[in-house]
């Protein structure tokens, strides 16, 4: 069976989602940061997280596309490109996460159909796909501006206009600040403070998806963006200083010219 995580927006209106699908006959359970939606007649579970990600268990691909369309109405600041990660899940003797050696598919094994265990694993899956959206945003900003240090080294100046430099600075600042403001989503959720017995499933998922080292790499990329921001800022200040110097020189020349005419 399929288990797929999606990141489609910066955040979701969970209360609006819960109200909408409750009217349609779904069973909903809303907490501070997650909405659990299930149907009585089908073994399907969906977990919507307030940071713009959701995980669906037991849906077929065409059904997932329907839910992707439904959730857009309650999405804040939708992403241009939807991030997704696919797993398969099955039932067995012990809950685990492994990669199938032959088919190269990540498989989740559950020892029970307990929604709480699914939720604990889903917290890790949702964090991973949110992290992937952060990684893509930062990588895009680095790719777009990565040539600037080399241009300064070879030409001594940046070929962009002053307005373009300010635009780049704004884009980099937005990328950095959006991740810094949302970095709390990568911390251990409060859910596990109240349910410590479920935390091992979350830790297992984080370890399998290599989330700690990816967060470390993300912070290093944020440092690169900070350096790029500093380079652009120094270039703007240099141009401003050069303009002031040129203005002063012109004023001095005008004053000298006027003085010569008065002689």
């Amino acid at each position: 069976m399929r288990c797929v995580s999606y990141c489609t927006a910066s955040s979701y209106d969970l209360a609006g989602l819960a109200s909408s699908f409750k009217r349609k006959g779904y069973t909903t359970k809303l907490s501070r940061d997650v909405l659990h939606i299930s149907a009585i007649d089908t073994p399907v579970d969906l977990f919507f997280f307030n940071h713009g990600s959701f995980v669906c268990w037991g849906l077929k691909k065409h059904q997932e596309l329907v839910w992707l369309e439904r959730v857009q109405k309650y999405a804040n600041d939708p992403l241009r490109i939807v991030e997704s990660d696919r797993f398969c899940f099955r039932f067995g003797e012990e809950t685990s996460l492994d990669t199938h050696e032959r088919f190269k598919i990540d498989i989740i094994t559950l020892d029970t159909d307990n929604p709480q265990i699914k939720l604990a694993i889903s917290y890790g899956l949702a964090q991973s796909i949110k992290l992937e959206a952060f990684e893509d945003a930062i990588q895009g900003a680095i790719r777009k501006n990565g040539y600037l240090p080399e241009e300064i080294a070879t030409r001594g100046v940046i070929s962009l206009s002053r307005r373009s430099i300010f635009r780049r600075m704004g884009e980099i600042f937005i990328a950095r600040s959006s991740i810094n403001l949302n970095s709390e989503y990568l911390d251990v959720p409060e859910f596990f403070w109240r349910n410590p017995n479920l935390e091992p499933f979350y830790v297992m998922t984080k370890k399998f998806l290599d989330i700690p080292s990816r967060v470390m790499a993300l912070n290093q990329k944020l440092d690169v963006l900070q350096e790029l921001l500093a380079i652009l800022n120094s270039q703007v200040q240099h141009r401003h200083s050069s303009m002031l110097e040129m203005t002063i020189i012109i004023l001095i020349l005008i004053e000298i010219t006027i003085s010569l005419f008065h002689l």
Side-chain angles (χ1 to χ4, degrees):
M1 291 176 283
R2 288 169 62 91
C3 173
V4 185
S5 58
Y6 291 96
C7 182
T8 69
S10 294
S11 62
Y12 291 142
D13 174 13
L14 296 185
L17 263 172
S19 176
S20 172
F21 290 105
K22 193 171 184 179
R23 289 195 300 268
K24 293 178 181 179
Y26 290 93
T27 301
T28 63
K29 184 179 180 181
L30 177 62
S31 62
R32 180 176 175 272
D33 62 347
V34 62
L35 168 65
H36 177 203
I37 294 179
S38 58
I40 298 175
D41 54 343
T42 56
V44 170
D45 292 284
L46 294 99
F47 300 97
F48 292 87
F49 297 87
N50 60 357
H51 55 65
S53 303
F54 72 95
V55 181
C56 45
W57 297 74
L59 291 179
K60 295 182 179 178
K61 188 173 182 179
H62 71 275
Q63 295 173 315
E64 292 168 10
L65 296 176
V66 172
W67 279 96
L68 279 169
E69 184 68 27
R70 287 173 174 174
V71 78
Q72 289 307 306
K73 183 179 178 182
Y74 303 95
N76 302 314
D77 192 17
L79 301 181
R80 288 183 297 173
I81 299 176
V82 172
E83 303 285 353
S84 65
D85 197 6
R86 184 172 69 88
F87 301 80
C88 290
F89 77 96
R90 64 187 178 186
F91 294 100
E93 295 181 358
E94 184 180 5
T95 298
S96 62
L97 251 168
D98 300 289
T99 300
H100 195 287
E101 293 183 2
R102 181 180 176 185
F103 298 108
K104 303 301 179 184
I105 296 174
D106 295 331
I107 297 178
I108 303 170
T109 303
L110 302 173
D111 64 353
T112 176
D113 195 25
N114 186 344
Q116 292 289 84
I117 294 179
K118 287 182 179 178
L119 174 56
I121 295 174
S122 293
Y123 268 109
L125 300 181
Q127 283 187 345
S128 176
I129 201 65
K130 187 67 178 181
L131 182 57
E132 193 167 322
F134 287 158
E135 290 166 342
D136 286 349
I138 290 183
Q139 195 58 44
I142 292 175
R143 194 183 303 116
K144 185 176 181 179
N145 299 284
Y147 73 94
L148 296 176
E150 184 178 350
E151 187 174 50
I152 291 178
T154 54
R155 300 180 55 186
V157 293
I158 293 177
S159 58
L160 296 172
S161 67
R162 193 164 183 264
R163 177 173 292 184
S164 296
I165 290 177
F166 276 122
R167 281 196 187 127
R168 295 292 179 92
M169 290 174 68
E171 291 170 1
I172 292 173
F173 182 78
I174 289 172
R176 287 185 68 253
S177 61
S178 65
I179 292 168
N180 287 331
L181 289 172
N182 294 297
S183 60
E184 63 181 270
Y185 300 138
L186 303 179
D187 296 334
V188 178
E190 290 183 11
F191 172 78
F192 299 107
W193 301 355
R194 302 185 300 272
N195 301 275
N197 60 310
L198 296 172
E199 189 171 357
F201 302 111
Y202 166 71
V203 172
M204 172 192 71
T205 307
K206 282 186 66 173
K207 184 176 179 181
F208 180 81
L209 296 171
D210 207 20
I211 290 178
S213 62
R214 287 167 62 195
V215 170
M216 190 179 299
L218 183 72
N219 288 328
Q220 291 173 349
K221 290 180 180 179
L222 282 172
D223 291 339
V224 172
L225 285 188
Q226 179 63 32
E227 291 173 6
L228 284 172
L229 195 61
I231 288 172
L232 291 175
N233 188 47
S234 65
Q235 184 70 12
V236 169
Q237 290 179 351
H238 173 71
R239 289 189 180 184
H240 183 65
S241 299
S242 298
M243 186 178 67
L244 287 177
E245 289 175 4
M246 186 61 65
T247 303
I248 291 171
I249 291 171
I250 291 172
L251 288 174
I252 292 172
L253 287 174
I254 291 173
E255 186 178 355
I256 293 173
T257 303
I258 293 172
S259 298
L260 289 174
F261 272 110
H262 281 263
L263 290 177

